[in-house]
Amino acid sequence: MNVKQIHRYVQHYLEATDCRILEKSPAHFKVKLSPQADRVLTGRSYYWSFVDRTGAEPETMSFLFVTDKHKYDQASEADQISAALASPDHTIAAADAAIGRSLGHMHGSLATVRMPREDIHFGSRRLEQIFEAAQTDGSYVFLFQEPTTRSQHPLESTAYTPWLGVNLVVGFQCDRKREEFHSFGVSLATGQCVEQFHDRLSKLKMTPRLPANVHVARNGITLNKALSTIETLLERKLRAGDFKWAEAAAKRLELEQQLMSHYYEPLLKSAVEGEVRQKIEEQYKSRQAEIDWQFRPRVTVSAINCGIFHLQGID
């Protein structure tokens, strides 16, 4: 992920969890966490257990999330220097600017409390935490398409079709690895199955609330039937794929097994019965298992997330 993608992802997470964004730029966010995000990101389990026990009004934490460190530090330093030159007390302003460069954002002067700063980049602890939270809390959603136009008559009702949407990752694994992303949507009213469903959803505005003047079509198939349809289509696509990579991996596996056999077979022949021979046999079996796991070609399929999406029209 590049800097812009990380920035966009963090913004989507903050908005989806109802965090209050106090200030933002292409390089940072100043944010007041929502209770949902605070519970996940801050690790204050004792505090939240106290809130749950007593019913007290929660006080969530605020953070400065920096998604582009170079750009933010440049802009911050320029602002602090300008403020220092304009300040009647150059000593305090200069100290604030120096501490800001070292520690991050400062509220006001030295007497105020610093807002914790988190530099978010690919591989950072905080971004991994957001990934895990999004995967856990967003693994299943129930959404409605926002109407493109409002009905002119209060008694008119627009038909919506429920769709099962599933995003999958297919892994082609041996001593090398390749992954493919697949997104399927199945109409629960008609059983129609479409690919690249995620692309279709990305063009629509969705809401967790049922819009006014909308009725949802009855399901014509079950969720199990919809999942079976996706499995059948994906299996058909995979069977039609090019598996030369698997043939090449099988040949590398055979070669590695032969090399290992040439090494261990003479050792076993020369070893006398007893503890030494037993250790060699155990090591041989262990290496065989390792080589087999590393080189044997296999295809894995795992679900990233899924949801029920109510889309306008009967499909």
Side-chain angles (χ1 to χ4, degrees), residues 6 10 65-68 118-122 124 126-127 130:
I6 291 173
V10 171
F65 291 142
V66 177
T67 55
D68 190 332
E118 293 275 356
D119 290 341
I120 299 180
H121 55 83
F122 193 74
S124 66
R126 183 64 73 188
L127 185 59
I130 292 175

Side-chain angles (χ1 to χ4, degrees), residues 172-178 242-257 291-292 294-298:
F172 303 90
Q173 301 179 33
C174 51
D175 55 323
R176 302 166 187 173
K177 184 177 181 180
R178 178 171 62 88
D242 184 358
F243 282 88
K244 290 181 180 179
W245 66 272
E247 296 172 1
K251 290 180 180 178
R252 292 195 299 273
L253 172 60
E254 184 179 359
L255 177 60
E256 289 292 328
Q257 289 174 334
I291 293 296
D292 187 80
Q294 181 180 0
F295 285 89
R296 185 170 298 279
R298 57 195 180 276

Side-chain angles (χ1 to χ4, degrees), residues 66-315:
V66 177
T67 55
D68 190 332
K69 184 177 185 298
H70 179 70
K71 183 182 294 185
Y72 177 80
D73 287 344
Q74 277 190 331
S76 179
E77 186 171 355
D79 291 343
Q80 289 165 352
I81 292 174
S82 298
L85 294 175
S87 172
D89 191 338
H90 298 293
T91 302
I92 295 178
D96 282 346
I99 293 177
R101 288 193 296 272
S102 301
L103 300 179
H105 173 74
M106 297 288 290
H107 283 300
S109 68
L110 292 170
T112 59
V113 178
R114 183 173 65 92
M115 179 183 290
R117 168 175 171 168
E118 293 275 356
D119 290 341
I120 299 180
H121 55 83
F122 193 74
S124 66
R125 183 190 66 85
R126 183 64 73 188
L127 185 59
E128 290 296 325
Q129 197 176 32
I130 292 175
F131 283 159
E132 292 175 4
Q135 186 171 8
T136 300
D137 297 336
S139 58
Y140 179 82
V141 294
F142 194 84
L143 299 173
F144 298 86
Q145 178 186 350
E146 290 189 358
T148 53
T149 57
R150 290 187 175 276
S151 176
Q152 299 297 322
H153 195 283
L155 298 181
E156 287 184 359
S157 182
T158 303
Y160 271 39
T161 297
W163 288 75
L164 171 66
V166 182
N167 293 326
L168 302 165
V169 170
V170 179
F172 303 90
Q173 301 179 33
C174 51
D175 55 323
R176 302 166 187 173
K177 184 177 181 180
R178 178 171 62 88
E179 291 183 337
E180 290 181 354
F181 174 78
H182 293 268
S183 182
F184 295 97
V186 179
S187 168
L188 297 180
T190 65
Q192 175 190 3
C193 184
V194 298
E195 298 183 60
Q196 299 178 336
F197 189 62
H198 181 268
D199 293 341
R200 176 177 176 180
L201 292 177
S202 63
K203 300 174 184 177
L204 304 175
K205 291 185 177 180
M206 308 297 291
T207 175
R209 298 177 178 84
L210 177 66
N213 297 347
V214 163
H215 69 275
V216 178
R218 295 182 61 180
N219 289 358
I221 63 172
T222 64
L223 288 175
N224 287 336
K225 176 63 176 176
L227 287 172
S228 178
T229 301
I230 292 174
E231 290 175 1
T232 302
L233 179 58
L234 180 59
E235 183 177 357
R236 190 182 303 130
K237 285 178 64 68
L238 293 178
R239 288 185 182 277
D242 184 358
F243 282 88
K244 290 181 180 179
W245 66 272
E247 296 172 1
K251 290 180 180 178
R252 292 195 299 273
L253 172 60
E254 184 179 359
L255 177 60
E256 289 292 328
Q257 289 174 334
Q258 290 175 356
L259 291 173
M260 189 167 49
S261 176
H262 291 329
Y263 176 78
Y264 279 99
E265 291 297 339
L267 290 179
L268 289 173
K269 288 180 181 179
S270 62
V272 295
E273 294 292 338
E275 185 177 345
V276 174
R277 183 181 179 86
Q278 184 180 358
K279 286 185 177 180
I280 294 175
E281 289 177 344
E282 291 176 354
Q283 189 180 54
Y284 188 16
K285 291 179 181 179
S286 176
R287 288 291 297 143
Q288 283 179 318
E290 290 176 2
I291 293 296
D292 187 80
W293 181 88
Q294 181 180 0
F295 285 89
R296 185 170 298 279
R298 57 195 180 276
V299 178
T300 60
V301 179
S302 59
I304 304 172
N305 46 34
C306 62
I308 304 295
F309 303 89
H310 300 82
L311 305 184
Q312 191 170 337
I314 300 294
D315 296 316

